[in-house]
Amino acid sequence: FTLTAQFKSFICLVKLPFLLCDYLYAYILTLQSCFLRHARSRNYVSESDVCKLESVPLDFGDYHPLKPITVTESKTKKMSRKGSTSSTSSSSSSSMMDPLSSVLDGTDPLSLFAAAADPVITTATMDNTRKKRDKDDSSAVGSDFEPWSSKRGEILARYTTTEKLSINLYMGSEKGKATATGSAVSEKVRTRLEELDDLEEGSQKELLNLTQQDYMNRIEELNQSLKDAWSSDQKVKALKIVIQCSKLLSDTTVIQFYPSKFVLITDILDTFGKLVYERILSMCMDNRVSLSDNFSPENVNDTAKETCLNWFFKIASIRELIPRFYVEAAILKCNKFLSKTGISECLPRLTSMIRGIGDPLVAVFARAYLCRVGMEVAPQLKESLNKNFFDFLLTFKQIHGDTVQNQLIVQCVEIPLYLTLYSPAIDWILQCIAYRAPEVLLTEMMERCKKLGNNALLLNSVMSAFRAEFIAARSMDFICMIKECDESGFPKHLLFRSLGLNLALADPPENDRLQILNEAWKVITKLKNPQDYINCAEVWVEYTCRHFKKREVNTVLADIIKHMTPDRAFEDAYPQLQSIIQKVITYIYDFSLLFSVEKFLPFLDMFQKENVRVEVCKCIMESFIKHQQESTKDPVILNALLHICKTMHDSVNALTLEDEKRMLAALINGFIKMVSFGRDFEQQLSFYVEARSMFCNLEPVLVQLIHSVNQLAMETRKVMKGNHSRKTAAFVRACVAFCFITIPSLSSIFTRLNLYLHSGQVALANQCLSQADAFFKAAVSLVPEVPKMISIDGKMRPSDAFLLEFLCNFFSTLLVVPDHPEQGVLFLVRGLLNVIQDYTWEDNSDDKVRIYTNVLHLLSAMTQETYIYHVDKVDSNDTLYGGDSKFLAEINKLCETVIAQILDHLKTLGKEETLKRQSQLALYLFNTILAHGDLRNNKLNQLSVNLWNLAQKHGFADTKTMVKTLEYIRRRSKQPEMSHFADLALRLPLQSRT
């Protein structure tokens, strides 16, 4: 038999294993040279027309894919247990049928489950809704009400002390912890009364000389002890702990720490109140059914009511006023279990109890706690809260009485500092009263505050708590009140600061705006303390920027520089200065106007600390990128922003994190993209050259500059419509030179490769052929330096896939690159093939063969009379050689070399562990011949059959892929000039894996 006959006999024996030996590869090698001589002649235009989708007119009617979706709501009226039909009623704004509803026949499966569920089991889940109920209760006041939790951290941070503190710790008692099983109720009562008395009979230990942190740790221990006692069913011990903590609120020996102490102690009281409420609520469960959210006392069982009353009776037996008040206020919510009017009756009584507290500071914080609890449990009962505040006004004069003055002398506390201790409590009381209050009430409160002497403290709290719109509308009235305040008490600059905070949120009457600024700044500019000055100036800068133009803003900035420069006071005020910059660029985002403010850049000079200076520069650049809509060439803007970008760039050092570098580079790149000199391309290139010298340490910026210069070259080509003059040709060559010089300074090798390729394409498009050859040669010479592993997002990855992608793009470009007259035929392709051959590939990688197969695609395209694409005004090899036989012979030699390499590699994959890779590569080469070869040639046809069989030889070919490939061949056989595919299909058997 001939070899061909032997192949046919092998193909017929489908169930026998293939016995191909080395002569199979030898035979394939004898067929390889026919590939290029019989490359299929391509008519790219007709092939493109065949591949186009057929356009079919569609009548959508009312349907449109962007039309809003209408959800159809289905309500189940009746349901049978065994699949009987159910009648439904649906309402919809559209006649469209919901596909889900149509499948479910209008019934919602979740509704079916809910309807079929046992009502007792369903309602038993109400026990898990306790957290939701608590959340709903607390949110009854609305989301626009600032909660106490948001103020807690600020108070703890502001009111601190370095003095030593003391605390009384509960030591516990062994009495009453265990009772006999048969003990009578009277014995239990007697025991509990004894325990309560025990607290006042020396069961405490006083800890002295505690630091502030030690004190806070002890309070936290008490909080945990409360929870532990409650969980171990020691309710009396828990009550003792709460009483003991409440007593601490009567102690003002370290008066400047009192607001923070109040925060810590009331946290414990809140925990206690929640535990008691949840305990009684759990006793209301009947058959696993919990109370609804809006339950009435009639729904509460007798056991729960008795327990609730017991708690109130225990608290009523507390002898001291302050702990009795605080503990009862903590469980105020429990009155809901007893009567509908319980809370409304208790609030006035508790308000009156506060009148018995002699210390005005202790009393005002007690009023604040009552307001806090009242807003949580009964926000609608505003009358009691108003009465609470008016009671405070009646006792306001105590603050300036002799008792307080003597106490301050003993503790060496100045009156201004003492008055600031009242602010958290008064602010909170006024916030609760002013929440959604009518203007009539607010006006009445304001008038009452006016009538009091030394009312600066109240005035400050009014401005902090009342609505900003109310304050802004009466700005001049408040300024008059501030002027009348006594300077020796509450500092006036704090009052102006509070006013400024309101005016930043709401606008005053337009006619008063300038007068308001003048009156405020008269006071602010006279401040001698730089910290007081900058705290006020920071607030009023926003008002100035919001309502005035650059002249007023410049005046304010100049005054700030004047106050903060002496003795380098600005070094202690960087946060405030940063805030001022942020406010200025928020309102003045026209940068041509911003940089025309004379004192803006000198203001930036005050940021001498590098990290702060860089943050400010980043802030300015972010604003520029966000608000600058059009490109600019304004020299003032360019010089200022170049200086700012240079500051950011110079901050980069060896310790700078990569994320920080990326952020800085992104900001600088955003600026570079916004610079445009229009048709003045030479000036644009000069800017890029200057930028390259300034930002050489940030690689992403250099990459952006290269892309920008390439874009500049293409814009020049577009303006000249591809016909360069001598001047524009020289300019384009200058752009190309810029890129060629800059690329080698980059560290990422794949970035360099891609930029060489991209810049070479730009040079080729601008008819700079020798420059394009230089770029492509540089890319070819760089390929051997590609490492086996590269770092991507901090992880090492193999580089083969990236190299394969680059080379495929490179091959696509090389098709249109004309040969150099002095370098020989296909000198770039030959050089690249030599580099690929010498490159050290991984042993388990087939990328080299895949690259060679893509080279066959390139060589096949080069044999066509007309290439599939061209570069305008550049003659490719199809025009230069005109299908010359010597040129085709050179291509044929390259093809023989490439295929020999592919088949040698296939032969090396004959081992058992590499048979799957052999199958995949054989099919890959088969598809290449199918797409690019002329299969009417018998030898080429036989080569494709042999590769098909080799792909299936050991059963590793994917059956679905083989079937689809065969179906494709059969479809192609029905096209004109493709009838020979039918014979090929008959020679390609499908073999099972077995």
Side-chain angles (χ1 to χ4, degrees), residues 771-808:
Q771 287 83 355
D773 283 346
F775 279 114
F776 297 141
K777 286 179 182 178
V780 171
S781 63
L782 193 59
V783 170
E785 299 179 17
V786 175
K788 297 294 179 294
M789 306 290 289
I790 57 174
S791 176
I792 300 177
D793 295 332
K795 297 181 179 179
M796 299 305 293
R797 306 285 187 188
S799 62
D800 293 354
F802 299 95
L803 183 58
L804 176 61
E805 179 185 3
F806 166 76
L807 291 175
C808 290

Side-chain angles (χ1 to χ4, degrees), residues 647-663:
T647 300
M648 295 192 300
H649 170 269
D650 292 346
S651 69
V652 175
N653 53 46
L655 300 178
T656 306
L657 298 176
E658 290 299 321
D659 287 344
E660 179 71 9
K661 290 182 182 179
R662 277 193 292 268
M663 181 184 296

Side-chain angles (χ1 to χ4, degrees), residues 837-868:
Q837 174 65 26
D838 296 336
Y839 187 80
T840 305
W841 300 89
E842 295 290 338
D843 294 336
N844 59 348
S845 172
D846 297 321
D847 288 331
K848 181 178 180 180
V849 175
R850 297 184 185 279
I851 292 171
Y852 280 149
T853 308
N854 283 300
V855 172
L856 292 180
H857 302 170
L858 169 64
L859 296 175
S860 173
M862 283 182 166
T863 63
Q864 305 300 318
E865 292 184 7
T866 303
Y867 291 170
I868 187 172

Side-chain angles (χ1 to χ4, degrees), residues 90 115 119 128 597 862 982:
S90 302
N128 296 325
V597 176
M862 283 182 166

